Amino acid sequence: MEEANALQASAVEGSRTTLDEAVMPPPSSQRGLKRKSQDLDPTLPVGSRVMAKTGAQSVSLLDLCRNNNRKQAAAKFYSFLVLKKQQAVELVQEDPYSDIVATPGPRFHII
C-alpha cells in the first residue's frame, strides 16, 4: 500500500521523484569529461578556445577538423555558426565548398 502512495505522489509531482542523496549522490560536473576537455574552459566554443590559446588572428575550419570524424567536424561547423550569430567571430568563405576562416568579431572578448 505504501508503494502505491509513493507512485501517486510522484504522479502528482509531474513524474518527478525525489532521491535520497545519501543513497544516490548528485552527478559530478566533471564526471565523464576527458582530461583535455577539463583543462579548457567549457563555456568557450571551439574556435574561441583555439584563438585564445594560440593567440592566432584567424582559424581555419579545415585545420580544426583535420583527423576528426564527420560528427566532430559537423559539431565544429555548428560552433562556427553559433559564434557568428553571437558576433564573436567573422566568417569568410571565398568560394562554395572552400575553407571557412574565422577571425575575431566585435564581441569576441565579451563572449
Side-chain angles (χ1 to χ4, degrees):
M1 191 64 163
E2 290 178 27
E3 192 174 317
N5 289 337
L7 289 175
Q8 287 174 347
S10 68
V12 170
E13 291 178 20
S15 75
R16 289 179 48 192
T17 59
T18 57
L19 296 175
D20 182 13
E21 289 186 3
V23 176
M24 182 178 235
S28 170
S29 62
Q30 296 296 321
R31 184 176 177 161
L33 292 177
K34 292 185 178 179
R35 186 172 178 193
K36 277 186 178 179
S37 63
Q38 288 176 356
D39 295 339
L40 300 172
D41 184 2
T43 59
L44 287 177
V46 174
S48 296
R49 279 187 285 195
V50 171
M51 283 190 226
K53 187 176 180 181
T54 63
Q57 293 299 313
S58 64
V59 175
S60 163
L61 181 64
L62 189 60
D63 291 340
L64 275 180
C65 295
R66 211 169 296 283
N67 299 324
N68 289 163
N69 62 32
R70 243 181 230 199
K71 187 175 182 179
Q72 292 167 328
K76 287 180 173 79
F77 175 71
Y78 179 76
S79 293
F80 265 29
L81 297 180
V82 170
L83 288 169
K84 171 65 176 166
K85 183 178 179 181
Q86 295 173 348
Q87 297 179 345
V89 296
E90 295 294 329
L91 299 178
V92 177
Q93 185 179 25
E94 298 298 325
D95 297 316
Y97 302 103
S98 67
D99 192 20
I100 300 172
V101 178
T103 56
R107 298 188 52 174
F108 179 76
H109 297 289
I110 297 170
I111 298 175

